[in-house]
Amino acid sequence: MKLNISYPATGCQKLVEIDDEKRMRPLYEKRISAEVPADVLGDEWKGYVLRITGGNDKQGFPMKQGVLTTGRVKLLLSKGHSCFRPRVKGERKRKSVRGCIVDANLSVLALTIVKKGEQEIPGLTDKTVPRRLGPKRASKIRRLFNLTKDDDVRQYVVRRPLAAKDNKKATSKA
């Protein structure tokens, strides 16, 4: 089974492949949004706590929160539901989704680090990826950087550089 582990504090994610069934057993019978200790993954994960955020089964069907089964069910999904993107206004569709309980039939399990352990994990907790997009509204920029009304918000705008093309100089986009 593959584990897609993300660390929101740095913006990094890592795909870990675990073939040993015994190491995966403590994750079985847990539901989405359950928190599990990561000690079972190895010694470098000691002290880490992971939250189950989703996954896909071997045929590619996504896990859906609130479907309390390990198998697949067909649900009538509409706008606002996870696992469905409407193409037309008012569209509803009956789609197969997998239950929210983890078992051996998953191919990928998505996990998020909730609590960091003692050791750094290479490629996940040791480096940071800069934000590609930041907030545009001044009040949201103030909230992100803990600014007061007196501070100049324009200095804190997250900008993305654009390459030069056709006799124009390089610019940046907010």
Side-chain angles (χ1 to χ4, degrees):
M1 186 186 295
K2 293 178 187 166
L3 300 177
N4 189 358
I5 302 169
S6 64
Y7 188 44
T10 61
C12 295
Q13 62 183 22
K14 188 173 188 176
L15 194 67
V16 179
E17 179 111 31
I18 294 182
D19 298 326
D20 190 15
E21 184 79 20
K22 289 181 183 173
R23 287 173 65 189
M24 293 302 299
R25 220 168 262 154
L27 296 174
Y28 293 166
E29 302 299 317
K30 299 278 194 291
R31 289 168 35 181
I32 289 181
S33 77
E35 294 185 359
V36 290
D39 303 339
V40 295
L41 303 179
D43 294 333
E44 69 268 13
W45 294 92
K46 194 157 187 69
Y48 282 85
V49 177
L50 304 173
R51 176 181 284 127
I52 300 170
T53 55
N56 291 66
D57 66 5
K58 290 187 169 118
Q59 286 75 33
F61 292 99
M63 293 174 78
K64 183 163 173 58
Q65 176 76 289
V67 181
L68 300 176
T69 180
T70 56
R72 244 181 260 154
V73 292
K74 289 194 109 178
L75 297 176
L76 187 64
L77 303 174
S78 61
K79 183 179 181 234
H81 286 106
S82 60
C83 311
F84 178 68
R85 183 169 57 93
R87 308 295 199 272
V88 184
K89 185 177 181 233
E91 180 185 15
R92 299 187 308 168
K93 202 166 196 178
R94 194 168 300 279
K95 297 197 77 169
S96 286
V97 292
R98 200 185 176 287
C100 70
I101 300 171
V102 178
D103 70 348
N105 294 329
L106 290 174
S107 65
V108 181
L109 186 65
L111 302 161
T112 303
I113 295 176
V114 177
K115 182 173 168 275
K116 193 174 173 212
E118 303 103 40
Q119 285 182 282
E120 295 282 333
I121 290 160
L124 189 62
T125 59
D126 58 349
K127 64 176 184 175
T128 59
V129 176
R131 284 175 163 259
R132 192 178 153 284
L133 299 172
K136 280 192 162 186
R137 185 170 294 184
S139 61
K140 304 240 173 140
I141 294 171
R142 282 190 190 102
R143 188 184 325 146
L144 179 66
F145 294 107
N146 294 326
L147 304 175
T148 63
K149 294 262 189 193
D150 303 327
D151 295 322
D152 187 18
V153 176
R154 293 174 292 186
Q155 296 172 350
Y156 294 91
V157 174
V158 178
R159 300 193 79 77
R160 181 170 49 109
L162 298 174
K165 56 179 174 178
D166 296 337
N167 302 335
K168 293 182 182 176
K169 63 178 186 175
T171 58
S172 65
K173 189 175 185 178

